[in-house]
Amino acid sequence: MKRIILGLVVVGSGVQIACGSSDAPSSNAQNTGGAGVSSDAGAGAGGGSSGAGGGTSGAGGASGASGSSGSGGSAGSADSGAIVGECNVDGDCTGGNKRCVLHFCIECTGDSDCSGGQVCHFPPGDCTQACTQDSDCTGGAYPVCNATQGRCVECTKEADCAGNAPDIHCFMGTNECKPCANNSHCQAPNPVCGPLHVCVPS
């Protein structure tokens, strides 16, 4: 009667089964068992290799998980469209004053902005009558003719601003009546004629 001998062989992390016959020659049993061990060990080795591959795959997953997180977006800039003064561009101005200069809406910057035969007195940026002499200026606000420029203005001399307080001095740069045209028109505590032709502290 043959007896089947089973044996467990642990190879690495695998478990293999070796079998042999009790009535076969011992050398054959050893060979058969050895073959079994060898075959199973190969399978075990394969399993170990597969396991190692799994470990590598897992390591790759961990690497992916450890990727750096995205940085937050930069803060938005302040609203650059906010209007400073009366305007930023011509489109911010409405009505008759349709040109934006130094954040103020004015009537004109050139003769083409005026109609009805008027011309542009710029600065300050008002449409006035064309003229060759004072009698041509009948608009009221600009009663004097600047014959050199060919347009009606507020003043061409100091006397033109008399009775126009507080704007009693003629600033020839723009032919306008102003509180001061130079420092001699100012006194303490505001002894300086400022850039807007108003007396200011020194």
Side-chain angles (χ1 to χ4, degrees):
M1 178 178 180
K2 294 182 178 181
R3 289 181 297 172
I4 304 301
I5 300 175
L6 299 178
L8 297 180
V9 178
V10 177
V11 178
S13 59
V15 178
Q16 295 79 37
I17 300 174
C19 61
S21 174
S22 62
D23 60 348
S26 59
S27 58
N28 290 341
Q30 289 175 354
N31 291 338
T32 303
V37 170
S38 175
S39 174
D40 291 342
S49 176
S50 175
T56 301
S57 175
S63 176
S66 63
S68 59
S69 60
S71 58
S74 59
S77 60
D79 184 7
S80 59
I83 293 179
V84 178
E86 294 181 350
C87 60
N88 291 339
V89 295
D90 290 350
D92 297 329
C93 299
T94 59
N97 294 337
K98 53 186 175 290
R99 294 296 187 189
C100 181
V101 175
L102 300 177
H103 301 291
F104 287 96
C105 293
I106 61 174
E107 193 172 11
C108 65
T109 57
D111 291 346
S112 61
D113 293 328
C114 303
S115 59
Q118 291 187 316
V119 293
C120 184
H121 174 33
F122 179 81
D126 296 321
C127 291
T128 66
Q129 293 171 292
C131 66
T132 57
Q133 56 189 358
D134 289 351
S135 61
D136 294 330
C137 302
T138 59
Y142 303 103
V144 182
C145 181
N146 182 328
T148 303
Q149 296 181 0
R151 64 203 65 207
C152 297
V153 296
E154 274 193 301
C155 64
T156 57
K157 57 186 181 296
E158 194 80 353
D160 293 332
C161 297
N164 197 30
D167 301 329
I168 60 174
H169 300 287
C170 183
F171 177 62
M172 296 299 295
T174 59
N175 294 118
E176 292 179 284
C177 294
K178 295 289 187 178
C180 66
N182 54 60
N183 289 348
S184 68
H185 299 148
C186 302
Q187 56 187 335
N190 300 311
V192 177
C193 185
L196 297 180
H197 301 285
V198 175
C199 295
V200 297
S202 58

